[in-house]
Amino acid sequence: MKVLCERTALVDALNIVGSVVPTRTPTPVLRCLKLTATDGLLVLAATDLQVGIRLGVEQVDVEQPGEALIPADKMTQIVRACDDPTLTFETENHAVHIRGADSHFKVFGYDPSEFPPVPEFGDATVDCEISAGTLQRLIARTLFAAAAEHSRYAINGVLFDRRGKLLRLVATDGRRLALAKGDCLTGEGDCSCIIPSKALKLVAKLVDDPDATVRIAVEENQIRLAVGEGPDAAMLSSTLVEGAFPPFDDVIPKDQDKKVTFDTATLSSAIRRAALLTNEESKGVRLSFENDKLTLSSRAPEMGEATVEIKLDDYQGEPLEIGFNPGFITDALAVIDGGKVTIELKAPNKPGVLRTNGEFTYVIMPVNLQ
Amino acid sequence: MPIRRLAPLVVNQIAAGEVVARPASVVKELIENAIDAEAIQITVEIENGGRDLIRVADDGVGIRFDELSLAVATHATSKISDADDLAAIASLGFRGEALASIAAVSRMSVVSRPRDAEGAGRIDIEGDRTIEPRPAPGPPGTTVTVRNLFFNTPARRKFLRSDQTEATRVSETVQHLALGHPQTGFTLTSGARRTIDLPPRQERRLRVLAVLGGELDDELLELDVTQREIGIWGMVGKPAIARGTAKHQQVFLNGRFISDRSITHAIKEAYRGLIDPGRYPTIVLFIQIDPSQVDVNVHPTKAEVRFRNQAAMHGAILSAVRDCLRRADLTPALDLTSVGSPREAPLIIPGPPRAFGSGLAGAPPSASYDSARQFVEYFRRLDPKQKGFVYSEVKEALAEQAPELLIDDDAKPQAAQDVEVLPVIRPVTDVLQIHSSFIVTQDEEGLLIIDQHALHERVMFEQLADAIGKGNLESQRLLMPETVDVDATQIELLADLGPLFVRIGIEAQQIGPASIGINAFSSFLFERGVEPGPFIRDLLDRAAREGVNDDPEAALHEVLDMMACKAAIKSGDKLTAEEITELLKQREKVERSSNCPHGRPTTLHLSIQELERQFGRR
């Protein structure tokens, strides 16, 4: 293999592909990137055996097609440290020579055939197609609410639930639940599976053109996504999370009798300020709703107290006092992208619901304040 | 069967059954008599564990010749005269049955000479046979000789343990009495060996050290308070010298050794969180109260007492001991010398290994000893370069920041002595996390090794205890109940645990024949990454295994312990520099940071002198 590569394009690709490479693994080949040079394209591939990624770099001149398997960290360090506009990669047995204008690196690698297969999208059956921008938005609005390392594995991922062209992503950590809706470009029948958080994080990164089309194929225990068309399409594959996702429809309350609308930025600022005087043992911020105003307050023993007021013009219902973990609210407000948000409540020990124009629903459980 | 009046010998033998159970009880009764007789020096001799011979000689007031017969009679005493005296007993004895009881089960002789008398008198009793008093030679004071104990009650004799065990019990008895009476000199000779030798008119602190072992001096805190007419003086052992048996926990009331459950409980409470619940502190307490406030006439051996105001006594002991411990720096020092050869038995006099106090040597090694050994093992495994690194780092830092503390060949020892060394307080800058488990840093005196989990657990515990003092813990509700599968006993426990759950922010109920649903969980635990399901399962398992403590505060403490343990950073967690700094900052803030709630130490200290010694520098 001998390839001349545009360095900056390579840096961008390495940033994404490199994040799949496991840092702690007893298997040295898994710490490597596989380079495959074909006609006018250098494909970088990495896998941790759960998530696999393939990313094509077009800004190359392939002199001699071939394959190489070299340690990801060394390759990334070299490509980042050089300031040449281009670098050449040439294999000699299992070693790779990397040459710049005034530098030469010989990096020892492994036999490329030892690398586990990283699936291509190939001729997989397409389940649905969706615009990259829509998918990215759905991911941003749910992924933050997913559990991390929970003993119920199912909630460590995000539920992918498609009914015809309507796609819903749902994530929960047991204390809050985020649901985002969007339309697919194509899609028939129903499909439901749980995608690991790590894979979804990468999908969001792979999108650089929101108008690109993402093809999704769901198989028995694996999902494949291809961003863009043609031979240079970025491609991600992942095993699915096994287990049953909690019945999310049941936990979204339908009989909330108190409603109020906020400007997202106003509410976000008020909550951030009220949260300044909370600590590890008393996280909660108290929200006191009255007809014309909302008072947010917090108190941390031996630290102090905070009070912030917001005027309300459209509060419907009886006055109510309820406590929430402020982080849970600001997490959601951060992904709404401005505009208005509606809060629906019922009682101090019942969930609160945040909504924006039907596309985003967020259920949040209160804390009992003392 | 017709009813008959029992013969006096039988009556006395029955009485002896209560008072005289073994040689040690004979020794106790006789020494108490000697103390009540204002003796300055008491000499005790035993042979074959006291089975063959017990002799207690004193230099007290003595018994008049014409009173000798009366002295050995039942219910005859010089110590009280009427029932009113019983209400305020100031002497150790008062029942007037000791000599008669002992005489009933042995061959006893009493030789006594009042201080002003010309010569002594002697009386011999053997069962119910008395040889009338006759003049005899003897020094001022009283000598009671008891031979062939239980010769006429074979059943009792059979219950005696080995000579060695009986001798140890005698020795313990003499220790108890010696602790309570520092003004009196004591010697104990067992067979040919002198095992106790304590001079008269000893200062009480020195007496305690002489009995417990002088090497414990640094590990004992002196306590001296008087509150609500209760005077408490004592030597309170640091948690590091806690032991596996209660032997070194000794309480004296008005000079009398007592064992009182409520006082034992108060001591345990005071050490709660500082030592492992299965271990006992080393502590000697002397309580002085008005004799009218206590009834010692509960049991013939007088080890049990009844306080008029039990609660006040409990409270006074608890607060006195707790305050004493709180004021002290409880960070155990690393003692590298103890490695290889276990701490030598503290000997009052040089002698064979079974000498007085050797009980300490036989006791399991203390916690600090164990950790010291582990530390040294660790240190040994380090390669020489690393050792040098640690040493030179510490030393360099010290040379730069506090040269007056650096005692070294090249330093001027003369100058060092002239400078008054003041503790140097400075922010911690050099820290090292090793094996993601321990934090090594320095203070003005040397090296500190901190168990990150133990310390953080302590910090978490204090935070929780503090928060719960201000109200129930904050509770985060769950979207849907988290189910825990349990068994029938655990479901029953749920009712007992209900009030406790409310306090720690947990709401759980039975939702099926063998399952519990958790509706709300402590937001603190959530924040620290503890999951409701596994936590409740662990808690119920533990409650089923160990039972739920009846005392709600104690039960709460146990649960807070568990919460702190789960919430704390673990051994093996890699910490950032900021996290380490924060943890060390907390260490200074948190009360009792030297021990984790289970009583294990959080911090070990290795002085620069000790390091230098270990490296052969001094």
Side-chain angles (χ1 to χ4, degrees):
Chain A
M1 181 189 86
K2 189 173 180 188
V3 188
L4 178 73
C5 239
E6 204 184 290
R7 197 186 59 88
T8 48
L10 206 49
V11 169
D12 292 344
L14 285 170
N15 283 344
I16 297 170
V17 178
S19 59
V20 174
V21 178
T23 44
R24 283 184 195 173
T25 169
T27 322
V29 293
L30 286 184
R31 286 195 287 262
C32 290
L33 295 177
K34 186 170 172 182
L35 313 182
T36 310
T38 51
D39 191 21
L41 190 69
L42 177 68
V43 174
L44 309 181
T47 180
D48 65 359
L49 297 179
Q50 282 197 318
V51 176
I53 191 164
R54 306 172 67 91
L55 193 56
V57 180
E58 281 182 305
Q59 295 85 339
V60 292
D61 187 2
V62 179
E63 279 183 36
Q64 191 188 347
E67 291 181 334
L69 188 59
I70 66 167
D73 58 343
K74 283 301 146 206
M75 172 156 174
T76 308
Q77 283 165 15
I78 291 167
V79 173
R80 280 198 190 138
C82 291
D83 48 10
D84 310 66
T86 57
L87 295 169
T88 55
F89 292 76
E90 188 177 3
T91 50
E92 180 199 346
N93 296 324
H94 296 151
V96 178
H97 295 271
I98 305 175
R99 290 190 182 88
D102 57 356
S103 53
H104 171 214
F105 307 87
K106 182 179 181 184
V107 181
F108 297 110
Y110 300 87
D111 180 354
S113 66
E114 284 177 28
F115 202 62
V118 179
E120 297 180 46
F121 198 84
D123 49 5
T125 315
V126 176
D127 174 77
C128 63
E129 290 175 306
I130 187 168
S131 94
T134 306
L135 183 60
Q136 205 173 25
R137 193 175 70 242
L138 297 191
I139 293 171
R141 288 181 172 188
T142 49
L143 190 58
F144 72 91
E149 296 175 26
H150 198 282
S151 55
R152 283 168 80 184
Y153 293 116
I155 64 170
N156 290 335
V158 174
L159 180 72
F160 173 97
D161 181 87
R162 188 183 57 75
R163 305 282 155 94
K165 283 186 182 167
L166 175 66
L167 175 64
R168 294 187 291 183
L169 294 192
V170 188
T172 180
D173 63 4
R175 293 166 279 166
R176 50 170 166 178
L177 179 141
L179 183 154
K181 285 181 203 169
D183 286 326
C184 298
L185 302 168
T186 64
E188 280 172 24
D190 297 346
C191 176
S192 177
C193 63
I194 305 169
I195 307 171
S197 299
K198 181 180 178 181
L200 279 188
K201 226 173 268 172
L202 281 164
V203 172
K205 270 193 191 175
L206 284 177
V207 174
D208 54 358
D209 172 11
D211 294 329
T213 300
V214 179
R215 285 171 290 155
I216 300 173
V218 180
E219 286 142 21
E220 198 179 332
N221 59 355
Q222 182 175 261
I223 186 167
R224 297 188 214 182
L225 299 99
V227 182
E229 306 279 340
D232 64 327
M235 151 76 203
L236 185 117
S237 62
S238 171
T239 52
L240 294 173
V241 179
E242 287 178 28
F245 201 82
F248 64 93
D249 272 330
D250 298 353
V251 303
I252 300 174
K254 281 138 193 111
D255 55 348
Q256 306 288 77
D257 55 5
K258 299 170 186 68
K259 261 183 209 174
V260 62
T261 309
F262 290 99
D263 174 60
T264 307
T266 310
L267 181 60
S268 180
S269 152
I271 295 211
R272 271 174 220 282
R273 282 179 285 154
L276 290 174
L277 290 179
T278 56
N279 64 15
E280 218 171 18
E281 302 95 54
S282 46
K283 268 273 153 210
V285 165
R286 186 185 305 268
L287 282 71
S288 306
F289 291 92
E290 288 163 85
N291 283 334
D292 55 346
K293 69 170 181 191
L294 162 65
T295 310
L296 300 100
S297 59
S298 68
R299 177 189 301 170
E302 280 148 32
M303 207 192 290
E305 301 175 13
T307 316
V308 181
E309 281 185 17
I310 305 179
K311 278 207 177 349
L312 303 181
D313 350 288
D314 67 339
Y315 183 70
Q316 302 166 27
E318 297 289 306
L320 174 75
E321 212 174 85
I322 188 167
F324 286 115
N325 179 333
F328 287 1
I329 303 182
T330 51
D331 278 355
L333 296 179
V335 298
I336 287 177
D337 344 301
K340 297 278 181 191
V341 59
T342 308
I343 293 189
E344 302 170 2
L345 301 161
K346 185 174 171 71
N349 60 349
K350 299 283 181 200
V353 183
L354 263 75
R355 289 183 200 275
T356 61
N357 57 36
E359 284 189 348
F360 178 61
T361 307
Y362 187 60
V363 185
I364 164 172
M365 294 306 291
V367 295
N368 298 0
L369 294 169
Q370 293 311 319
Chain B
M1 226 161 61
I3 296 175
R4 277 186 302 256
R5 189 170 284 278
L6 293 173
L9 175 68
V10 181
V11 171
N12 282 342
Q13 285 185 347
I14 292 170
E18 288 177 356
V19 181
V20 184
R22 51 178 16 101
S25 26
V26 173
V27 170
K28 172 174 178 289
E29 295 298 330
L30 295 179
I31 292 180
E32 286 186 349
N33 280 345
I35 291 169
D36 284 343
E38 298 159 24
I40 291 164
Q41 180 69 45
I42 297 172
T43 308
V44 183
E45 273 172 71
I46 57 170
E47 301 261 349
N48 298 332
R51 200 185 295 261
D52 294 346
L53 171 80
I54 299 168
R55 179 179 290 134
V56 176
D58 68 55
D59 52 2
V61 293
I63 306 168
R64 293 216 322 265
F65 188 78
D66 55 340
E67 286 179 358
L68 273 176
S69 309
L70 199 56
V72 296
T74 320
H75 304 305
T77 183
S78 59
K79 298 176 184 180
I80 57 173
S81 53
D82 54 37
D84 285 350
D85 288 353
L86 263 188
I89 287 162
S91 54
L92 292 175
F94 54 85
R95 295 169 63 109
E97 55 188 13
L99 284 184
S101 302
I102 296 166
V105 293
S106 69
R107 298 186 170 96
M108 183 173 90
S109 78
V110 181
V111 176
S112 190
R113 174 174 155 193
R115 280 173 187 158
D116 52 356
E118 296 274 301
R122 169 178 180 135
I123 187 168
D124 287 89
I125 317 116
E126 189 173 298
D128 52 356
R129 209 160 52 82
T130 306
I131 299 169
E132 284 308 301
R134 57 194 190 283
T142 306
T143 301
V144 180
T145 308
V146 176
R147 290 182 193 276
N148 308 110
L149 187 62
F150 302 133
F151 78 99
N152 53 356
T153 49
R156 190 51 71 162
R157 199 174 172 89
K158 253 192 271 172
F159 278 102
L160 292 183
R161 311 287 291 275
S162 72
D163 287 359
Q164 187 58 62
T165 308
E166 294 300 338
T168 306
R169 294 209 170 147
V170 168
S171 177
E172 280 167 17
T173 301
V174 178
Q175 273 182 59
H176 289 159
L177 288 155
L179 279 173
H181 300 279
Q183 74 285 359
T184 313
F186 287 86
T187 59
L188 170 64
T189 311
S190 177
R193 290 205 318 269
R194 169 151 306 186
T195 57
I196 296 183
D197 191 354
L198 298 164
R201 299 186 194 91
Q202 240 180 340
E203 205 252 308
R204 58 186 175 180
R205 193 173 161 275
L206 294 176
R207 173 61 61 94
V208 172
L209 288 176
V211 172
L212 292 184
E215 86 291 347
L216 293 181
D217 198 1
D218 291 342
E219 301 295 326
L220 292 167
L221 309 162
E222 194 167 338
L223 163 72
D224 195 356
V225 291
T226 302
Q227 48 184 17
R228 280 171 283 169
E229 313 208 317
I230 301 171
I232 305 169
W233 180 87
M235 302 283 278
V236 176
K238 292 183 186 173
I241 56 168
R243 301 182 180 276
T245 74
K247 257 188 190 169
H248 293 271
Q249 180 173 316
Q250 306 183 6
V251 180
F252 297 83
L253 178 74
N254 295 342
R256 186 196 310 272
F257 176 80
I258 58 162
S259 58
D260 180 81
R261 283 182 57 193
S262 98
I263 292 178
T264 307
H265 182 261
I267 292 173
K268 197 174 167 196
E269 284 294 292
Y271 276 90
R272 179 194 265 185
L274 289 174
I275 60 175
D276 195 88
R279 298 180 71 81
Y280 300 87
T282 296
I283 183 171
V284 182
L285 287 185
F286 295 85
I287 305 164
Q288 288 293 338
I289 57 169
D290 182 342
S292 66
Q293 293 301 306
V294 61
D295 183 3
V296 293
N297 192 13
V298 179
H299 187 265
T301 62
K302 307 177 196 97
E304 284 173 36
V305 296
R306 237 176 245 145
F307 295 105
R308 282 233 174 127
N309 190 345
Q310 182 104 349
M313 181 55 75
H314 184 274
I317 304 278
L318 174 60
S319 65
V321 177
R322 186 149 64 190
D323 290 350
C324 179
L325 288 166
R326 272 196 185 149
R327 278 196 309 272
D329 171 20
L330 298 176
T331 304
L334 271 177
D335 180 4
L336 299 186
T337 53
S338 61
V339 178
S341 65
R343 248 180 223 183
E344 277 305 311
L347 299 179
I348 291 177
I349 49 162
R354 284 300 309 182
F356 175 46
S358 55
L360 288 181
S366 71
S368 76
Y369 166 63
D370 273 346
S371 356
R373 189 171 51 194
Q374 280 161 14
F375 169 70
V376 168
E377 276 313 308
Y378 182 80
F379 214 65
R380 278 193 184 136
R381 287 202 304 270
L382 288 180
D383 68 18
K385 247 164 118 187
Q386 241 176 316
K387 278 187 199 171
F389 158 75
V390 173
Y391 179 70
S392 64
E393 282 272 300
V394 170
K395 187 141 175 180
E396 257 172 49
L398 205 67
E400 206 177 281
Q401 298 172 38
E404 70 273 23
L405 292 178
L406 202 62
I407 303 164
D408 190 81
D409 309 351
D410 16 60
K412 296 189 190 86
Q414 199 54 49
Q417 277 164 17
D418 292 342
V419 181
E420 195 189 346
V421 180
L422 293 170
V424 186
I425 312 288
R426 56 164 181 271
V428 175
T429 47
D430 314 303
V431 286
L432 178 71
Q433 191 192 20
I434 48 177
H435 287 212
S436 302
S437 299
F438 296 96
I439 295 164
V440 178
T441 184
Q442 57 175 329
D443 68 357
E444 55 276 13
E445 282 155 22
L447 191 66
L448 287 175
I449 301 143
I450 295 163
D451 179 337
Q452 63 186 37
H453 171 69
L455 175 60
H456 196 229
E457 186 177 350
R458 180 84 252 174
V459 169
M460 295 276 105
F461 180 81
E462 292 295 336
Q463 273 184 26
L464 284 170
D466 209 41
I468 216 155
K470 299 189 173 78
N472 296 345
L473 293 185
E474 190 179 287
S475 172
Q476 165 74 55
R477 301 198 69 79
L478 300 180
L479 274 168
M480 53 202 92
E482 183 149 343
T483 350
V484 180
D485 295 332
V486 290
D487 58 35
T489 34
Q490 288 174 328
I491 283 186
E492 280 170 32
L493 281 171
L494 199 59
D496 294 343
L497 290 169
L500 195 62
F501 279 180
V502 171
R503 295 196 67 183
I504 60 172
I506 292 175
E507 193 185 303
Q509 76 212 32
Q510 183 178 355
I511 54 169
S515 54
I516 284 173
I518 307 162
N519 298 318
F521 191 61
S522 152
S523 49
F524 170 80
L525 288 180
F526 265 131
E527 209 58 35
R528 301 291 318 166
V530 181
E531 280 181 48
F535 181 84
I536 298 286
R537 198 171 303 128
D538 273 13
L539 183 62
L540 290 173
D541 282 350
R542 216 173 119 175
R545 203 168 55 235
E546 295 165 17
V548 180
N549 204 319
D550 292 337
D551 174 2
E553 285 306 307
L556 177 67
H557 180 102
E558 281 166 21
V559 174
L560 291 186
D561 249 23
M562 197 175 147
M563 292 172 77
C565 185
K566 305 255 176 203
I569 50 172
K570 304 288 179 291
S571 220
D573 288 353
K574 187 104 189 103
L575 302 182
T576 65
E578 289 76 32
E579 286 169 324
I580 294 176
T581 312
E582 184 56 32
L583 187 58
L584 293 176
K585 220 159 67 190
Q586 301 278 7
R587 173 175 184 266
E588 280 149 30
K589 275 197 272 179
V590 172
E591 223 181 356
R592 296 186 169 201
S593 63
S594 69
N595 290 75
C596 82
H598 301 309
R600 293 191 303 270
T602 61
T603 305
L604 295 176
H605 189 256
L606 181 61
S607 74
I608 209 76
Q609 284 88 350
E610 183 61 25
L611 270 176
E612 286 174 335
R613 227 170 48 70
Q614 289 295 315
F615 285 104
R617 287 283 188 111
R618 15 192 302 148

